[in-house]
Amino acid sequence: MSGGSERVLKGFAKGFVIAPFVNPGDGLMTIPFDICNPDSDVSPEKSHIPPSTSRYEHEEEVRSIIRALDSGRGKTVAARTIQLDVNVDLNATFDNLCFSYPDAFVFMFSTKSSGTWIGASPELLLRKDGEFLSTMALAGTRPSSSLDKEWDEKNRDEQAMVTEFIIDCLMRHCGTVTAGKTFTKNAGPIEHICTPISAYMPDSALGEEYEESYSNRLRRLLTELSPTPALCGSDRAKSLELIRNLENFPREMYGGFCGPNEINGVSAFFVNLRSAKVSPEAAAVYVGSGITALSSPENEWKETEMKSKTIINKLITSEV
């Protein structure tokens, strides 16, 4: 939980780090730890709240992405927004999310440039503990009540693309990369396919390409990882172009990442998802799904409906 806007630092530093979906390296901000106050009452910044995406708009985006994929292997994430005309009690909502999702990274931050965001992310982007790194490939979605033991081809293929991307990215930076056993990870009303991945990035120089500070190497790795195919697409450049052309709202901080940097040698950054942007008299829930050649526009809409309940059902609000 982090609040404060007067002394936000531009770039990657010790404190609570925030990065947007597009160009995370250029948009990095840090709230110094000494102004992060988990006990303070946070009031939302006044900022633009996008209107809701209609079902027609979302299904048309999904159809356009499927046509762009042209039956090939690949994916692009289609997102939508749900506008709520409510006053959100941020502190009560934060407590509710912590109670409801004890295994999630519950976050809240507020700056003048980013606006105010709150969420409960199930997805670790990168954790650093000394020279050891850990992350996860998280993709595929179905209801937690599903009785199926096996995941379908669409979800397995979608998650495999994320796993391949993350391993390839880590291999360019780390001496050792190891993928663990894939399992089904619960995330409240839904569940995902998850592959834990660990790596070792030594502090000592390994050649000219590593002759930079460890902090800079970590920042560079983070901005190469984000956004992963779980939030953008398997071909990042093509997916970003599709997203820009097809979505009628900027994703801003949704799909970026946030988290504490350097607490006793440990840093942990999580993807900004299952989240809402909050203004004094309205909020917008952001939600997306991975589109492949096997996707159905109707099923993808239903998936985003399921995901949105993770945050909508936990907001403590009053009507405007």
Side-chain angles (χ1 to χ4, degrees), residues 136-276:
M136 61 173 62
L138 191 76
T141 303
R142 68 186 184 189
S144 294
S145 58
S146 174
L147 299 177
D148 295 330
K149 293 183 179 180
E150 300 296 329
W151 286 81
D152 62 28
E153 180 184 359
K154 186 263 182 183
N155 282 294
R156 292 197 311 271
D157 195 40
E158 183 184 343
Q159 197 267 347
M161 293 179 212
V162 180
T163 303
E164 292 167 10
F165 171 87
I166 292 175
I167 290 175
D168 287 346
C169 187
L170 289 173
M171 289 290 289
R172 294 194 295 271
H173 293 263
C174 303
T176 303
V177 179
T178 304
K181 184 178 180 180
T182 299
F183 66 99
T184 297
K185 179 178 173 64
N186 180 271
I190 55 179
E191 58 189 19
H192 309 287
I193 310 172
C194 181
T195 302
I197 302 169
S198 59
Y200 175 66
M201 190 167 75
D203 198 7
S204 57
L206 298 178
E208 290 184 3
E209 68 271 28
Y210 290 100
E211 289 182 358
E212 58 180 320
S213 72
Y214 196 91
S215 178
N216 284 342
R217 287 160 55 195
L218 181 63
R219 176 193 55 78
R220 189 154 55 88
L221 174 56
L222 281 166
T223 55
E224 286 184 27
L225 276 172
S226 180
T228 73
L231 275 297
C232 181
S234 52
D235 182 327
R236 183 183 288 176
K238 180 178 180 180
S239 294
L240 284 172
E241 182 180 4
L242 285 168
I243 290 165
R244 280 193 295 267
N245 292 336
L246 297 172
E247 290 180 1
N248 62 354
F249 60 93
R251 293 194 184 181
E252 300 182 273
M253 312 311 288
Y254 171 71
F257 63 87
C258 62
N261 184 31
E262 286 297 334
I263 299 178
N264 298 322
V266 177
S267 302
F269 308 100
F270 289 77
V271 179
N272 181 337
L273 76 165
R274 311 293 137 78
S275 59

Side-chain angles (χ1 to χ4, degrees), residues 274-289:
R274 311 293 137 78
S275 59
K277 183 182 182 185
V278 180
S279 197
E281 296 182 347
V285 171
Y286 290 66
V287 63
S289 63

